[in-house]
């Protein structure tokens, strides 16, 4: 199996690094100084589960140099998914499998808008990780896991092929019985802590221990729950309380990647998180005052970051 990793940030760097380190054929798609460092010194992963360095089959930013892929892990930011999907078309085989791992609730839909549905599985990952320096990935929290499944909830042979790759790489992975529920459950957590974390400049632990902020976290999650149910996702009735309990158990000093992006003036997934809930709420006739407040307060910073990037 030839696995191609699109985006070698905290997510793609860790999981792609693990697959490569297990002796499997991996191509890493990166750019700039990060790419050059990987070419010269391999990819270094500093992990709470043990450090390692790996030398992938190929590291490149050129689609023309990449062999056809059996498995593609999409690890870009949510707002880059459509462009990335167009970019990978030349390396698709008849049975290439594509799994999106970025945060957000509608990444499979974005892929469906560009690529044939036969290639696409739903997916998500659980990890705290980031680029520490060019060529260096830091995994600093959570036992890493990928959850994936067929969007029609079927049990297929190709799911087992993916599992073989992940099992050999040595990280936790789960075949989901309802990937939409799992995606929205992860989305509820990350969207709830990200925007409010950017507004408060506080860690997850600091937010949760503050009684008033904890109420706002719960209000944010409740609105997401209502929107998800209105979209037909079979979210459990007690999911908000479960997410709040999950937030309470996160490392006290942890922060979300989108929170860090906003604070550091980089383009973020704000539009795909709180902004997505605001947009969907309007279309579905569901009030989302808390998400609207968070999104509106952060939008000027997001606009400024995107103008600076261009």
């Amino acid at each position: 199996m030839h696995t191609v990793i699109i985006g070698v940030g905290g997510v793609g760097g860790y999981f792609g690094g693990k697959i490569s380190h297990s002796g499997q054929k991996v191509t890493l798609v990166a750019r700039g100084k990060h790419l050059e460092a990987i070419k010269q010194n391999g990819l270094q992963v500093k992990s709470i589960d043990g450090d390692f360095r790996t030398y992938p089959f190929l590291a490149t930013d050129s689609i023309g140099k990449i062999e056809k892929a059996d498995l593609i892990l999409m690890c870009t930011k949510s707002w880059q998914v459509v462009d990335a999907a167009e970019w990978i078309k030349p390396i698709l085989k008849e049975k290439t499998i594509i799994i999106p791992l970025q945060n957000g609730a509608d990444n499979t839909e974005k892929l469906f808008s560009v690529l044939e549905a036969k290639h696409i599985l739903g997916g998500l990952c659980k990890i705290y990780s980031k680029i520490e320096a060019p060529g260096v990935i830091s995994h600093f929290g959570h036992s890493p896991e990928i959850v994936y499944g067929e969007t029609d909830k079927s049990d297929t042979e190709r799911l087992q092929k993916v599992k073989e790759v992940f099992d050999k790489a040595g990280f936790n992975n789960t075949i989901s019985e309802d990937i939409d529920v799992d995606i929205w459950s992860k989305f509820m957590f990350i969207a709830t802590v990200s925007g409010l974390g950017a507004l408060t400049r506080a860690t997850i632990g600091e937010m949760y221990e503050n009684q008033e902020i904890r109420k706002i976290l719960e209000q944010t999650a409740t609105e997401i729950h209502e929107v998800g149910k209105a979209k037909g996702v079979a979210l459990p009735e007690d999911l908000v309380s479960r997410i709040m309990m999950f937030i309470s158990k996160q490392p006290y000093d942890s922060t979300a990647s989108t929170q860090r992006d906003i604070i550091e003036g980089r383009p973020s997934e704000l539009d795909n998180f709180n902004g997505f809930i605001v947009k969907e709420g309007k279309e579905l006739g569901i009030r989302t005052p808390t998400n609207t407040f968070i999104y509106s307060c952060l939008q000027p910073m997001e606009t400024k970051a995107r103008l600076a990037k261009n």
Side-chain angles (χ1 to χ4, degrees):
M1 291 277 284
H2 176 210
T3 300
V4 177
I5 309 297
I6 308 297
V8 191
V11 169
Y14 179 83
F15 291 110
K18 288 287 286 185
I19 298 170
S20 174
H21 192 56
S22 68
Q24 301 182 72
K25 185 177 181 180
V26 172
T27 292
L28 301 178
V29 177
R31 60 187 179 183
K33 293 181 180 179
H34 192 44
L35 172 60
E36 292 307 312
I38 295 170
K39 285 182 175 180
Q40 293 175 15
N41 305 310
L43 178 68
Q44 181 181 359
V45 177
K46 296 180 179 179
S47 171
I48 56 176
D49 295 331
D51 300 347
F52 63 91
R53 186 184 298 271
T54 186
Y55 297 87
F57 171 74
L58 177 67
T60 185
D61 59 0
S62 172
I63 193 69
K65 295 180 179 179
I66 303 174
E67 294 183 12
K68 299 280 187 178
D70 298 297
L71 172 63
I72 298 176
L73 300 185
M74 300 285 282
C75 304
T76 64
K77 297 294 188 180
S78 295
W79 47 275
Q80 298 171 318
V81 169
V82 171
D83 287 343
E86 290 282 1
W87 193 78
I88 64 173
K89 284 182 177 179
I91 62 171
L92 298 182
K93 298 179 181 180
E94 177 67 21
K95 294 185 177 181
T96 298
I97 301 166
I98 304 169
I99 307 178
L101 295 183
Q102 53 279 109
N103 295 316
D106 62 340
N107 294 307
T108 51
E109 287 82 357
K110 290 174 182 174
L111 291 178
F112 285 146
S113 72
V114 177
L115 303 171
E116 292 184 80
K118 67 180 181 180
H119 292 296
I120 300 162
L121 296 179
L124 63 101
C125 68
K126 302 175 183 179
I127 188 173
Y128 286 116
S129 56
K130 64 181 180 180
I131 298 176
E132 180 177 291
V136 182
I137 302 297
S138 171
H139 160 227
F140 53 91
H142 208 292
S143 179
E145 180 182 11
I146 292 179
V147 181
Y148 52 101
E150 297 285 356
T151 57
D152 64 0
K153 305 178 188 178
S154 61
D155 183 10
T156 60
E157 182 180 344
R158 67 178 181 170
L159 291 172
Q160 296 301 323
K161 291 182 178 179
V162 173
K163 187 165 182 58
E164 289 177 8
V165 173
F166 293 167
D167 283 348
K168 185 175 181 181
F171 53 77
N172 294 331
N173 66 96
T174 302
I175 297 175
S176 173
E177 295 181 359
D178 191 331
I179 193 62
D180 286 337
V181 169
D182 288 328
I183 287 171
W184 271 81
S185 299
K186 162 71 183 298
F187 174 69
M188 183 183 292
F189 162 69
I190 199 67
T192 293
V193 299
S194 293
L196 197 54
L199 270 183
T200 62
R201 302 302 202 258
T203 68
I204 292 177
E206 289 169 339
M207 287 192 292
Y208 189 83
E209 74 176 2
N210 182 292
Q211 185 175 354
E212 294 304 316
I213 296 177
R214 187 162 67 246
K215 289 179 183 178
I216 300 173
L217 287 168
E218 186 170 6
Q219 290 164 0
T220 306
T222 298
E223 292 174 7
I224 295 171
H225 189 255
E226 291 174 354
V227 170
K229 287 196 302 179
K231 288 180 68 65
V233 184
L235 298 177
E237 290 302 319
D238 66 343
L239 184 57
V240 172
S241 62
R242 285 161 51 186
I243 290 298
M244 291 303 296
M245 180 62 68
F246 182 71
I247 292 172
S248 76
K249 294 181 178 179
Q250 297 308 294
Y252 186 88
D253 291 329
S254 58
T255 55
S257 60
T258 289
Q259 173 184 359
R260 297 192 297 272
D261 285 341
I262 294 172
I263 291 172
E264 294 167 19
R266 296 190 295 265
S268 78
E269 294 175 305
L270 176 67
D271 285 343
N272 307 100
F273 287 9
N274 307 97
F276 172 76
I277 291 301
V278 171
K279 178 178 71 69
E280 293 296 312
K282 287 179 179 178
E283 293 180 0
L284 294 165
I286 296 173
R287 292 184 68 253
T288 58
T290 308
N291 281 274
T292 298
F293 176 78
I294 293 169
Y295 178 63
S296 299
C297 288
L298 293 172
Q299 202 170 32
M301 294 178 63
E302 182 69 21
T303 301
K304 184 178 180 180
R306 291 184 180 274
L307 289 173
K309 185 176 185 292
N310 294 330

